[in-house]
Amino acid sequence: MKPLYLSHIVAFLVVAIWGTTFVFTKLLLLGGLTAAQIFMLRFIIAYILLLGYCLYKGIRWTADTWRDELLMAALGVVGGSLYFLTENSAMNYTTTTNTSIIVSLCPLFAAAIIGASYKSQRQSRLQTLGTLMAAVGVVVVVMNGHFVLHLSPRGDALAFAACLCWAFYSLLMIPANARYDTVFITRKVFFYGLLSMTPYFILRPGLNAHLLLEQPALAWNLLFLGCVASMLCFLAWNWVLKQLGAVVATNYVYLNPVTTIVFAWIILDEQITSWFILGTLLILAGMYLADRRTGKSE
């Protein structure tokens, strides 16, 4: 069995990489691609790569039962197409601050949903305190001393829908991980994520793939999103969910805005403030308290 600390390191690295994707996605949007096109292209890249690996290794094609196949389809929708569509669409109607806060509070809702579904996963009072502390830390980090929210019902509702999608993805991964290996599950997530996006592209056809040939820099950004942020990170994240359990692993999402701001500080020379440091300390302390059952199996 791999050392437990390795699972925590992998979880942190995945969240850190996901925290950098806003830059690459923003560049693709500015280059002329839509949010749906970016999702479709990056998942196509990830699926083709993973499909090649599965063909080479002779990994199974279907689940054991039709109920399990429906479970895989649900994972593809809530963790793929629906999550990305709601999160990216939210940005069109509300502020980045609102979206960041709402989506990053996913662990709070995931803990509640998983605890309601699995008695063994219910948090103690100390763990609940830690989760709430980390959530407050997220708000402090994202708001960065400017505690003003601009409410936008449609955009905030879409961001909240994305938050719930990832919470339910964590919940559904519990029975999936109990019966199937990580590679098989991840390939199914990509497949059903792409399949469930088909109706959208029937109504709004076109991938604008020609833009990638006209602007090579966009192609490199998309390759990063497809190969690293999608294929490798989804594989690693699904493995982490199996090793640490859904509640503990999902708590790492609290670090997403922290890694985003650090990346912006390194690349874009944005300022690190005392509010950021305070919020980060709250997140780390909260995660420590919430992670009191590290290593407990699902």
Side-chain angles (χ1 to χ4, degrees):
M1 182 177 181
K2 295 181 182 296
L4 196 60
Y5 69 82
L6 177 60
S7 303
H8 287 280
I9 292 174
V10 172
F12 173 78
L13 289 175
V14 170
V15 170
I17 291 172
W18 279 342
T20 69
T21 57
F22 81 99
V23 172
F24 301 98
T25 301
K26 185 67 174 180
L27 290 173
L28 288 169
L29 290 169
L30 292 174
L33 294 172
T34 67
Q37 290 168 347
I38 294 170
F39 163 78
M40 198 72 171
L41 288 169
R42 67 185 281 187
F43 261 48
I44 287 174
I45 294 171
Y47 181 70
I48 289 174
L49 291 174
L50 200 53
L51 180 62
Y53 176 80
C54 291
L55 288 172
Y56 175 75
K57 288 293 186 177
I59 295 176
R60 63 160 72 192
W61 287 95
T62 59
D64 291 332
T65 67
W66 66 267
R67 285 187 176 87
D68 285 352
E69 196 67 34
L70 287 177
L71 173 63
M72 300 299 163
L75 284 168
V77 172
V78 297
S81 56
L82 190 58
Y83 170 77
F84 281 98
L85 277 180
T86 51
E87 181 185 49
N88 292 332
S89 297
M91 300 291 291
N92 293 325
Y93 302 102
T94 190
T95 64
T96 302
T97 299
N98 286 30
T99 304
S100 298
I101 291 176
I102 295 170
V103 173
S104 295
L105 292 180
C106 164
L108 193 63
F109 296 96
I113 292 171
I114 293 171
S117 303
Y118 292 88
K119 187 175 181 179
S120 63
Q121 294 297 310
R122 291 174 185 171
Q123 292 187 312
S124 65
R125 291 181 179 178
L126 183 62
Q127 289 173 309
T128 301
L129 175 63
T131 300
L132 292 173
M133 185 183 298
V136 171
V138 166
V139 176
V140 173
V141 166
V142 176
M143 298 299 290
N144 197 26
H146 304 286
F147 297 99
V148 178
L149 283 174
H150 301 281
L151 298 180
S152 172
R154 180 185 295 184
D156 294 344
L158 285 168
F160 183 66
C163 172
L164 290 181
C165 279
W166 200 250
F168 278 105
Y169 180 81
S170 301
L171 173 67
L172 295 175
M173 280 298 295
I174 295 176
N177 272 327
R179 297 193 286 274
Y180 300 95
D181 66 84
T182 301
V183 175
F184 174 80
I185 296 170
T186 307
R187 192 192 76 217
K188 286 291 186 179
V189 168
F190 291 148
F191 173 76
Y192 283 112
L194 290 169
L195 185 64
S196 58
M197 279 294 291
T198 302
Y200 179 91
F201 281 94
I202 291 176
L203 297 174
R204 298 184 179 182
L207 289 174
N208 278 337
H210 67 279
L211 294 175
L212 303 176
L213 298 176
E214 298 170 0
Q215 305 175 64
L218 296 183
W220 286 111
N221 289 337
L222 187 66
L223 283 173
F224 173 81
L225 292 177
C227 299
V228 179
S230 292
M231 188 194 74
L232 292 180
C233 283
F234 264 84
L235 279 171
W237 186 254
N238 290 342
W239 177 79
V240 165
L241 286 171
K242 179 177 288 189
Q243 300 301 314
L244 295 180
V247 174
V248 173
T250 306
N251 278 334
Y252 273 91
V253 175
Y254 282 132
L255 288 174
N256 203 303
V258 175
T259 58
T260 297
I261 292 175
V262 169
F263 183 72
W265 171 63
I266 295 172
I267 302 300
L268 305 177
D269 200 29
E270 293 190 3
Q271 186 179 6
I272 295 292
T273 68
S274 57
W275 287 105
F276 170 81
I277 296 173
L278 173 61
T280 301
L281 291 175
L282 284 172
I283 291 172
L284 293 175
M287 288 179 63
Y288 174 78
L289 293 177
D291 186 16
R292 303 306 297 163
R293 291 188 294 175
T294 299
K296 185 168 182 175
S297 63
E298 299 290 0

